Amino acid sequence: MSERKYIVATDVGGTCTDTVVIAAGEPFHIGKALSTPPNFANGVLDSISVAANSMDLSVEQLFAQSYLFVHGSTVVDNTVLTQDGAKAGLITTAGFEDTLLVTRGAYGRWGGLPEEGVKHPVATDRADPLVPMERIRGIRERVDYKGEILQELNEAETEAAVRSLIEDEGVDSLAVCFLWSFYNPSHEQKVKEIIERVAPDAYVTLSSEIAPVPGEFERTSTTVINAYAGRITKAYVNNLEQQLAGRGYEGPIMVMQGYGGLLPASEAAERAVGMIECGPAAGVIGAKFLGDLMGQGNIIAADMGGTTFKVGVIQDGEIEYAREPMVARFHYVAPKIEVVSIGAGGGSIVSLEHGTNAPKVGPRSAGADPGPICYGRGGTEVTLTDVMTLIGYMDPGTFLGGSMTLDIDAARQAFEEQISGPLGMSVEEAAFGIFRVAAAQITDLIHEITVERGLDPRDFELHAFGGSCALLCGVFGRELNVKRIVIPYTASVNCAFGMISADIVHEYSVTKSLPAPSPVAEINETYAPLLAKAKVDLAREGFDESKMRFEFSVDLRYGLQVHEVTTRVNGPTPFTDETLQRLMDDFEALYEQKYGKGSAYRGAGIEMTQFRLSARGLLDRPDVPREALGGSDPVAARVSSRDIFIEPENRTGPAEIYDFDKLSPGNEIAGPAVIQTPITTIVVQSGQTASMDELRNIVLNFQ
């Protein structure tokens, strides 16, 4: 039998599916293929096949030598965005049936809308709920804020409600969310028992299991999202397992989560909400992993694929987590890496605004099917990829390693008809303008997540990854005045690379209100059952204590406030008085960082409201190979020259073209130039120098 030495990671995006394969002592092996909605597993196998072929292996031979498969997918995001989930019902406390519909008051009318939608708040309305009123049932029961039962669950009424939803409304997935169930889940658990007896095939989500936190609306919304998308997610994961087994894979499957960790496939299938934006989260994890290797603590992680542009921030080596995550326009409460996005990717459709003829890039996308016009797959609307082809950045003959020839003539004709003609401009002039519009949109978004939060981009490196980001990063990176730009060796498949660099992570929490300071013995008693469960869970997955790591954090707020700041515990654990004092100091420092210097006020009193534990099982993974730096002359990699758009000079001019695979660490390239790889294209603008480092990353420096 062949030695099992490979880790295989795949990331399913809206346009492409990416694969990274790694083993000790070998370079990364990369695969990229178009995604295949709605049967995404086909695209997964296509992408793995590309990687296997580059290794002179079949998929079956690769799997026979693989011991771990890691996966990330947009299945949950897509299900919610397209409103194509299960026919779900909600069972809640009688008298609170409207919670999901009321949302968070007026904020629910414009929450999640793009900027242009918020400009006219009177014209806004709440998003249609995933569970309409006719599929919501209120049950007489009551638990108070201490967890004490005030009114026992009416089991006969519960069974009647379940039968009504299943038999009369035809639901096949049920969400259960009772008041204060995170203090006492017994009523929800009884409902689950009744559902399993009455409708054993129904998919069930309990709020006390998926979101055991305060916040009546957010908890209900999270439970409903999980029920709505969970059934489809479970079927997707089961189908993927079968497809991989059918090609000979026998090892474990781990699924990426939005908080940056991995879960076994069986557990992830029950926690669909955790998979939301798991791909972008993996990209940030990959950027942090690479930053640690390069000695970089401040990183702007920019990911531009075929559908969206996404960005996250790493400050002093710490990843920022979302305060109020949303999917589409629906709030949920689950740990998630902060990633903000706009609809600007390679497949984003270029259009002219009705009435003003102002050019727009996105948010609509041509996706993988039919894709950009230049793909020749039936696309009829101009996309940003078509523009990149027109301005000389993309070589029609080398796209995806030459596996697809781009039709530049079709792109030019459509662009002239749809964009440049109506604008009264030449094709080139209009294409230059569209490129700048896209770069400006990206710059504005990064300003939003940095400058508007008190961060100076000049203190940060920019990591540019995704299939399209390296085409524009030289322009928006210059506008932001970042230190330098890093285009990772795995740029076009960086989210898959991030999955390989992630560990198994379980998140636990308990809601409990304590003043700060409180006796540390009480805090340690609060954490004890969480820590015990975490150790059991990790041991069951094969980790001994030497491979276990635990990170503690606490949600704190000032007296009478309703919003908390999650603060990491940096002192010794179990808690000591010193640990608690440092926690309070760190909370106030974070508070002032978020809300302004002088905003902290200990005199108002500090309250601890939630105690969190992140339990990590460290996976064994090969070291990233480094190569010795050689000479600076890149002449061996030069393949040709062609005219491209030189943005700083606002003109078309000649640029040297280089083959990435023929470059060696230490080579330096002065712009304007283009570096072509089988899976992405890197544009070096004039006034910039590109060098290949010992990890085969391309580093752009400003002259």
Side-chain angles (χ1 to χ4, degrees):
M1 179 180 290
S2 301
E3 176 192 0
R4 294 189 180 275
K5 59 180 179 178
Y6 292 113
I7 301 175
V8 181
T10 63
D11 172 49
V12 178
T15 302
C16 289
T17 297
D18 304 328
T19 295
V20 172
V21 180
I22 188 172
E26 295 187 21
F28 293 138
H29 304 283
I30 293 171
K32 195 176 192 72
L34 294 176
S35 297
T36 54
N39 301 312
F40 287 101
N42 295 338
V44 169
L45 291 171
D46 289 344
S47 180
I48 295 170
S49 179
V50 173
N53 288 342
S54 73
M55 304 163 66
D56 294 323
L57 297 174
S58 67
V59 172
E60 289 78 6
Q61 289 171 326
L62 173 59
F63 281 159
Q65 299 177 59
S66 300
Y67 67 90
L68 180 63
F69 183 86
V70 186
H71 184 61
S73 173
T74 58
V75 60
V76 179
D77 310 62
N78 291 343
T79 298
V80 178
L81 288 167
T82 61
Q83 304 266 311
D84 194 28
K87 192 172 185 180
L90 170 64
I91 293 175
T92 189
T93 303
F96 292 84
E97 295 88 345
D98 289 339
T99 296
L100 191 66
L101 311 180
V102 173
T103 67
R104 290 173 60 181
Y107 179 65
R109 295 175 60 95
W110 56 78
L113 287 175
E115 184 178 348
E116 57 267 24
V118 182
K119 290 178 180 177
H120 307 286
V122 176
T124 62
D125 204 350
R126 294 174 177 84
D128 292 334
L130 299 177
V131 176
M133 189 66 196
E134 61 268 20
R135 298 206 298 268
I136 300 175
R137 299 290 185 272
I139 303 297
R140 283 177 290 174
E141 66 83 40
R142 200 61 184 266
V143 172
D144 72 5
Y145 71 100
K146 298 177 182 178
E148 296 178 2
I149 296 174
L150 302 181
Q151 182 177 12
E152 291 288 348
L153 177 75
N154 188 318
E155 296 190 30
E157 185 179 347
T158 301
E159 181 171 336
V162 171
R163 291 190 182 279
S164 170
L165 289 169
I166 298 292
E167 297 169 6
D168 299 338
E169 299 295 339
V171 307
D172 54 10
S173 184
L174 285 163
V176 183
C177 186
F178 289 149
L179 289 180
W180 303 106
S181 60
F182 50 89
Y183 281 142
N184 185 342
S186 61
H187 284 177
E188 289 193 355
Q189 290 166 350
K190 282 184 181 179
V191 173
K192 186 174 183 178
E193 292 171 5
I194 293 170
I195 294 171
E196 289 174 343
R197 174 169 50 83
V198 173
D201 294 332
Y203 185 92
V204 184
T205 297
L206 305 184
S207 74
S208 52
E209 294 177 349
I210 201 70
V213 295
E216 185 184 332
F217 163 67
E218 289 81 0
R219 187 162 49 91
T220 304
S221 180
T222 306
T223 310
V224 165
I225 291 170
N226 201 76
Y228 184 78
R231 191 179 189 90
I232 288 174
T233 303
K234 188 172 185 178
Y236 171 85
V237 172
N238 291 342
N239 178 57
L240 180 64
E241 289 177 317
Q242 293 170 8
Q243 294 269 11
L244 296 179
R247 301 295 290 270
Y249 180 69
E250 298 177 352
I253 297 174
M254 299 293 171
V255 177
M256 190 70 196
Q257 301 293 292
Y259 54 74
L262 303 170
L263 284 182
S266 57
E267 187 173 343
E270 300 296 336
R271 301 185 63 84
V273 72
M275 289 176 65
I276 296 172
E277 289 202 327
C278 64
V284 178
I285 292 293
K288 182 184 185 310
F289 181 78
L290 181 58
D292 290 343
L293 291 176
M294 300 178 71
Q296 299 171 348
N298 289 347
I299 298 169
I300 297 169
D303 176 8
M304 186 175 185
T307 307
T308 55
F309 177 89
K310 299 167 283 285
V311 61
V313 172
I314 301 165
Q315 185 180 17
D316 297 328
E318 296 293 327
I319 292 172
E320 182 78 11
Y321 286 80
R323 303 177 195 174
E324 297 182 343
M326 297 182 77
V327 55
R329 297 184 60 198
F330 304 106
H331 281 89
Y332 64 98
V333 280
K336 189 187 88 68
I337 290 175
E338 173 79 282
V339 177
V340 297
S341 64
I342 54 173
S348 292
I349 290 169
V350 178
S351 61
L352 301 179
E353 192 173 79
H354 180 71
T356 66
N357 254 12
K360 291 175 57 180
V361 178
R364 294 188 303 120
S365 173
D369 186 16
I373 293 170
C374 60
Y375 281 14
R377 295 162 60 94
T380 59
E381 295 183 275
V382 173
T383 68
L384 193 56
T385 293
D386 295 310
V387 172
M388 297 298 179
T389 305
L390 294 174
I391 63 178
Y393 288 174
M394 297 178 64
D395 181 356
T398 61
F399 184 68
L400 288 181
S403 62
M404 176 187 291
T405 300
L406 301 180
D407 189 344
I408 189 171
D409 292 333
R412 176 177 290 275
Q413 180 179 343
F415 188 83
E416 188 169 11
E417 292 173 355
Q418 299 175 25
I419 307 298
S420 64
L423 289 174
M425 303 168 73
S426 70
V427 168
E428 287 72 20
E429 186 182 10
F432 297 168
I434 296 298
F435 175 86
R436 284 200 168 109
V437 167
Q441 289 179 212
I442 291 168
T443 303
D444 288 347
L445 181 68
I446 297 177
H447 265 279
E448 179 183 315
I449 200 172
T450 55
V451 176
E452 293 182 17
R453 298 185 183 183
L455 304 178
D456 189 341
R458 292 174 295 184
D459 297 331
F460 288 76
E461 269 92 8
L462 171 67
H463 284 213
F465 49 92
S468 304
C469 203
L471 293 160
L472 296 101
C473 66
V475 174
F476 67 78
R478 184 195 66 226
E479 291 297 317
L480 292 164
N481 204 15
V482 295
K483 287 183 177 179
R484 64 186 61 85
I485 303 170
V486 177
I487 298 104
Y489 172 58
T490 55
S492 186
V493 294
N494 203 63
C495 293
F497 170 73
M499 292 172 195
I500 283 180
S501 61
D503 292 307
I504 305 299
V505 181
H506 295 275
E507 298 284 345
Y508 308 88
S509 66
V510 62
T511 299
K512 185 175 183 178
S513 180
L514 290 175
S518 280
V520 294
E522 187 170 2
I523 298 174
N524 290 328
E525 287 172 7
T526 301
Y527 269 118
L530 299 183
L531 192 58
K533 178 170 173 48
K535 290 181 177 180
V536 169
D537 288 346
L538 289 175
R540 188 175 60 247
E541 290 163 1
F543 296 98
D544 60 40
E545 291 213 10
S546 67
K547 294 288 187 180
M548 298 181 187
R549 299 290 185 272
F550 304 101
E551 295 178 1
F552 301 80
S553 58
V554 181
D555 288 4
L556 299 102
R557 66 188 182 191
Y558 287 113
L560 302 181
Q561 289 187 329
V562 295
H563 295 292
E564 297 87 2
V565 175
T566 301
T567 307
R568 183 175 176 176
V569 177
N570 291 309
T573 53
F575 267 67
T576 64
D577 290 336
E578 174 193 345
T579 306
L580 182 55
Q581 182 59 52
R582 180 168 178 182
L583 176 69
M584 295 165 63
D585 293 342
D586 288 348
F587 158 68
E588 295 198 304
L590 272 176
Y591 193 93
E592 291 203 343
Q593 181 181 317
K594 291 177 182 293
Y595 301 111
K597 189 170 180 59
S599 59
Y601 179 54
R602 190 168 295 196
I606 300 175
E607 181 184 4
M608 298 178 285
T609 62
Q610 191 162 23
F611 298 84
R612 301 178 184 269
L613 173 66
S614 180
R616 185 179 300 271
L618 303 182
L619 290 171
D620 292 324
R621 63 178 59 83
D623 293 332
V624 177
R626 294 176 183 265
E627 300 179 31
L629 296 177
S632 62
D633 190 353
V635 67
R638 183 187 178 280
V639 292
S640 65
S641 66
R642 67 171 180 265
D643 285 348
I644 69 167
F645 173 46
I646 304 173
E647 193 275 341
E649 301 170 18
N650 193 35
R651 66 178 179 86
T652 296
E656 300 296 311
I657 312 300
Y658 295 87
D659 183 340
F660 177 90
D661 290 337
K662 295 179 181 178
L663 289 171
S664 300
N667 285 174
E668 294 183 1
I669 298 170
V674 175
I675 304 171
Q676 296 177 165
T677 87
I679 52 177
T680 191
T681 300
I682 302 166
V683 177
V684 186
Q685 295 289 347
S686 63
Q688 298 174 357
T689 300
S691 60
M692 177 175 278
D693 71 6
E694 59 187 352
L695 298 170
R696 297 192 67 81
N697 305 308
I698 297 296
V699 180
L700 296 184
N701 285 290
F702 304 98
Q703 296 175 1

